[in-house]
Amino acid sequence: SGLVLCAMRSSEVASAASRDPGYPCRRYVALVAGKLPKANQLGSYGPLFRCDEPLRQLSNAAHSEPSKDDPQTTAVSEGRGKRRRPPKLSAITDFETLGIFDDDAGTSSVSLIVATAKTRISEQVRRHLFHLGCPVCGDKQYGDARTNRRFSGVFGLSRLFLHCFEIEVPESWVVDDACPPLLRCPLPNELRILLERLLLRKAHDV
């Protein structure tokens, strides 16, 4: 859930974006299973860990795939024939930990984090969190079944706890008041209520 950036083709913002195809900075708040790796620097919201694991663009992504003549394209055997899949691309996501919560038994933890995607790969934040062993709570595709059952049963979570709360657009895109430089969107009620219940429990210092 959260912010989605779009513009009419005839708008001044769209014209500015076409002249300077920069990349808007998207920030997400997420509740994830476990704890992120040890931070190696301090970010704007808390201890920051950067994940730079390369990712393949998904085949159903809107972005164009490499041509069959692309030397980076990987050929993969599949039955009698072969199919080609996109190469791994550079992918960078910054993760900052806001708080860590243990369950009642103290056997598992969840973390409230801010994720900032520095590159543009399909499902990048979710896939990087899966790679780190900290999938998003409520994620049926990449998530942890035990954590999902817990948050569904105890907190009534029936969706991804992943929300785009902020988008910072390139300065060149700012045209009068048509596109402010910083856009924000509050948490939807179901996530806000769950977070308020979770915050009643003591969070670890991070």
Side-chain angles (χ1 to χ4, degrees), residues 21-203:
Y23 177 62
C25 180
R26 291 173 170 83
R27 296 185 180 91
Y28 301 81
V29 63
L31 192 68
V32 304
K35 303 175 185 178
L36 292 173
K38 186 176 180 180
N40 44 28
Q41 56 185 302
L42 186 63
S44 301
Y45 297 92
L48 185 150
F49 174 81
R50 171 165 289 185
C51 180
D52 57 3
E53 176 70 13
L55 297 171
R56 286 188 173 88
Q57 193 63 270
L58 299 180
S59 59
N60 60 351
H63 311 283
S64 59
E65 296 186 16
S67 69
K68 64 180 181 179
D69 298 321
D70 188 337
Q72 296 187 84
T73 302
T74 305
V76 181
S77 296
E78 187 179 68
R80 294 182 179 178
K82 289 185 177 181
R83 65 182 175 86
R84 294 178 179 273
R85 60 182 180 180
K88 286 190 174 183
L89 305 175
S90 173
I92 300 173
T93 311
D94 287 344
F95 295 106
E96 299 172 66
T97 302
L98 302 177
I100 301 172
F101 305 87
D102 285 333
D103 64 7
D104 294 333
T107 56
S108 62
S109 303
V110 293
S111 300
L112 184 67
I113 68 165
V114 169
T116 304
K118 297 293 187 179
T119 50
R120 191 175 184 179
I121 305 295
S122 299
E123 299 179 3
Q124 175 177 318
V125 172
R126 294 166 63 194
R127 292 164 69 191
H128 266 169
L129 286 167
F130 174 77
H131 168 74
L132 296 173
C134 300
V136 179
C137 294
D139 192 336
K140 296 180 180 179
Q141 183 174 0
Y142 301 105
D144 176 74
R146 181 184 177 199
T147 302
N148 289 349
R149 285 195 300 270
R150 174 192 167 201
F151 275 85
S152 175
V154 176
F155 296 100
L157 181 66
S158 59
R159 49 154 294 173
L160 279 169
F161 199 120
L162 179 68
H163 176 76
C164 182
F165 72 92
E166 186 175 274
I167 295 180
E168 185 176 353
V169 302
E171 186 176 348
S172 60
W173 291 20
V174 179
V175 181
D176 297 327
D177 295 328
C179 183
L182 193 65
L183 305 169
R184 290 195 174 100
C185 177
L187 275 176
N189 283 338
E190 64 267 33
L191 299 187
R192 179 183 57 79
I193 292 171
L194 188 156
L195 184 57
E196 288 174 351
R197 291 178 61 189
L198 197 61
L199 287 172
L200 292 176
R201 309 181 181 203
K202 183 176 177 60

